[in-house]
Amino acid sequence: MTITHLPAGPTDDVPYEPWDGEEEALAAAAAAGRRAAEWIRSLPQAPAPGPVGTWLLRDLPETIETATTSLDPQDCDRMEPDGVMVDGTGGIDDETRSALAAVPCAVQDARWLTPDQQIRLVAVASLVLGAVRLLAEDPGTAITTGELARMWDLVDHAIA
């Protein structure tokens, strides 16, 4: 078997063409993020000021809004011209990803919230991270088949 490596130009030499429904899908993501952030801000506040209470009330909603408004189908998994595979980020940075991944640990310290509220917070953070990964792995399928939209339906269910 012979493997032939074709010459590859820079990744920016091909203009980006948005997927059918991309604009609407990204608008729906931003709207779902705003709804989730609003719900989080409506949760009971900690009985005493503390880092977890502040983080949940202020930082987490902002993180969710940042994640859902930063989604970028162009930042998907790809192969560099030198043949190295690069994992896409779906448009979110490491700090945002890390903050969302910390939710399952942080809610355990939010003892003033009910278990139902805590698990809903975990679900929202997990769904947002899942949507980011879905978009990074296969933006065309995520957008055109409604998979991404389904994630926002699940977020809405978690905050209802």
Side-chain angles (χ1 to χ4, degrees), residues 39 100 103-105 107 117-127:
W39 173 75
L100 291 171
V103 172
C105 297
V107 297
Q117 292 165 330
Q118 290 175 326
I119 197 64
R120 288 170 183 247
L121 281 169
V122 171
V124 167
S126 175
L127 287 163

Side-chain angles (χ1 to χ4, degrees), residues 12-94:
D12 61 356
D13 66 352
V14 177
Y16 178 75
E17 292 194 29
W19 298 97
D20 288 339
E22 180 177 323
E23 187 177 332
E24 296 84 1
L26 296 177
R34 285 190 298 276
R35 289 189 301 274
E38 185 177 310
W39 173 75
I40 293 168
R41 290 183 184 108
S42 75
L43 291 172
Q45 293 187 9
V52 173
T54 301
W55 183 76
L56 284 174
L57 186 63
R58 183 181 37 203
D59 298 338
L60 181 58
E62 289 175 14
T63 299
I64 287 173
E65 285 182 301
T66 297
T68 57
T69 59
S70 300
L71 293 176
D72 183 0
Q74 294 183 71
D75 192 357
C76 59
D77 296 348
R78 64 194 176 282
M79 186 173 293
E80 292 293 318
D82 60 1
V84 175
M85 277 302 293
V86 176
D87 286 336
T89 66
I92 68 168
D93 59 28
D94 289 339

